Amino acid sequence: MTDEQNKRGLDRRGALECMAWAGTGLLWTVAGGVPKVSRVLGSTAASAQTSGFTFAQISDSHIGFDKPANPNPASTLEEAIGKVVSAKDKPAFMIHTGDITHLSKPKEFDDAARIIGASKLDVHYVPGEHDVIDEDNGKAYMERYGKNAKGKGWYAFDHQGVHFVGLVNVFDLKAGGMGNLGAEQLAWLEDDLKARTASTPVVVFAHIPLWTVYGEWGWGTDDGVRALDLLKRFGSVTILNGHIHQIFQKVEGNVAFHTARSTAFPQGEPGKAPSAGPMLVPADKLRTVLGVASIVVKQGTQALAITDTPLA
Amino acid sequence: MIIATPRAAFSRALCIALALGFNAAAHAAEVVVTIDNFVFNPPAVTIKPGDTVTWRNADDIPHSIVSTTPGAFRSKALDTDDKFSFTFTTSGAFEYFCGLHPHMKAMITVAP
């Protein structure tokens, strides 16, 4: 990218796009609202330096899954937590972008909480569709993680000048549709963002991608574009999702989109695999397609750098 | 040679009645819809009132059966090999979808 393009960052839209499917790690540096790939993972990782902080993202742990694609997702979640704990820049906190459990069973929630709790970090959760399939339509999740949240589990918090918003797009799904935020949540989001200045870096996280990754598999959010409209005036927006069990990255204007790997099992590449189901890979390759993400925020520069680290 | 005693005749009549009865019950058909690779198969089924549809999830991922007709039928989440059955008593076209993966849609048509 040229300096000229960098200067035009605020009105430049959609010129830079990068996707990396499962198996590789890329480090993204976001400067002045225009992220760029700075190096492939494996060389020197980004550092939070003195005035920033790091947070970790894990996703799709699917505790309770026991099929051939990974008969023991508890052990791979433990390894993922190990990666987070041993990171050079200790994360300030962790976010979990949903599908904590496979079937919303109490024991699955208990096991996940025990394993993730070993990190001793504050964890900010949003539910995946697998976390709200108990017979009481999400009661099990809400009793554990939704008590201090609004509506069906959405909330916001601030950390060192960065505004974090956890959105919920797995309730009230409509026939033929994709993820769903709903009018009540969008009204709350509009109100929540109203009080923030455009220079506030915003990080939004939700389970299903907020933009359409692949409509035929429902990999998107029907009213996600309305949330993105509300975020347009901000100079630095980072959207972190899960659900698709592989890395997908896209930059559009000032918005950087990123999906995380699962800690449990990979899913196929859109349009190439027969369905969106678990993808069986050789056992010795499984850990190369699972992983965690680490996000570095450097104060003053509005720079966020996302590093995806595989388990092996 | 069979001797038709009154008792044997009664037994035979009972057998015929039971057989007729079973035949009447068997008239209500059961149709199986298999969920495979995120698809309801077959995607369109036509049945008669009184027939039963049984869904079976053959995927490694849970699915559910949700009617777009409010309150008509809705399963809990079906894990691998779990089944859900519903007997359709009224005629009509019943669209349904998967509550977890709503892009999965299919149709049951009930006609006399």
Side-chain angles (χ1 to χ4, degrees), chain A residues 67 174 176-177 216-217 275 277, chain B residues 37-38 61 76 80 97 102-103:
Chain A
K67 302 301 186 292
K174 308 288 188 291
E216 284 173 54
W217 286 357
S275 77
Chain B
N37 267 334
F38 289 64
I61 283 289
K76 63 184 179 70
T80 307
F97 65 105
H103 65 286

Side-chain angles (χ1 to χ4, degrees), chain B residues 25-41:
Chain B
H27 176 71
E30 183 184 349
V31 177
V32 175
V33 174
T34 304
I35 306 167
D36 205 358
N37 267 334
F38 289 64
V39 172
F40 294 107
N41 190 25

Side-chain angles (χ1 to χ4, degrees), chain A residues 101-185:
Chain A
T101 71
H102 192 59
L103 295 168
S104 306
K105 291 179 176 171
K107 186 181 184 307
E108 297 173 348
F109 278 115
D110 288 347
D111 289 349
R114 191 190 69 249
I115 295 166
I116 295 168
S119 71
K120 309 262 193 266
L121 293 172
D122 283 340
V123 186
H124 303 278
Y125 290 92
V126 285
E129 74 279 8
H130 286 257
D131 299 319
V132 298
I133 51 173
D134 51 315
E135 297 207 27
D136 295 313
N137 194 27
K139 191 176 165 195
Y141 174 87
M142 289 300 288
E143 280 183 349
R144 286 166 192 263
Y145 301 118
K147 279 190 174 148
N148 298 316
K150 314 284 181 193
K152 288 183 170 171
W154 53 84
Y155 57 93
F157 65 95
D158 293 282
H159 189 88
Q160 292 191 23
V162 179
H163 190 56
F164 288 83
V165 183
L167 297 181
V168 178
N169 55 4
V170 296
F171 281 105
D172 304 322
L173 305 184
K174 308 288 188 291
M178 306 189 287
N180 175 51
L181 293 164
E184 184 189 351
Q185 184 169 204

Side-chain angles (χ1 to χ4, degrees), chain B residues 3-30:
Chain B
I3 301 165
T5 63
R7 187 189 167 96
F10 174 75
S11 292
R12 188 186 291 169
L14 186 64
C15 279
I16 291 165
L18 283 173
L20 286 172
F22 282 132
N23 279 337
H27 176 71
E30 183 184 349

Side-chain angles (χ1 to χ4, degrees), chain B:
Chain B
M1 182 181 173
I2 298 167
I3 301 165
T5 63
R7 187 189 167 96
F10 174 75
S11 292
R12 188 186 291 169
L14 186 64
C15 279
I16 291 165
L18 283 173
L20 286 172
F22 282 132
N23 279 337
H27 176 71
E30 183 184 349
V31 177
V32 175
V33 174
T34 304
I35 306 167
D36 205 358
N37 267 334
F38 289 64
V39 172
F40 294 107
N41 190 25
V45 171
T46 301
I47 56 171
K48 294 187 183 309
D51 289 353
T52 298
V53 176
T54 296
W55 287 266
R56 184 178 76 84
N57 179 15
D59 272 349
D60 278 356
I61 283 289
H63 295 289
S64 69
I65 317 297
V66 182
S67 170
T68 58
T69 311
F73 54 94
R74 182 186 189 102
S75 78
K76 63 184 179 70
L78 306 178
D79 198 8
T80 307
D81 284 331
D82 282 355
K83 291 176 184 172
F84 169 70
S85 293
F86 184 78
T87 300
F88 291 80
T89 54
T90 54
S91 295
F94 296 91
E95 188 190 49
Y96 66 94
F97 65 105
C98 170
L100 282 86
H101 314 99
H103 65 286
M104 296 168 56
K105 284 199 303 179
M107 178 78 87
I108 306 290
T109 304
V110 186

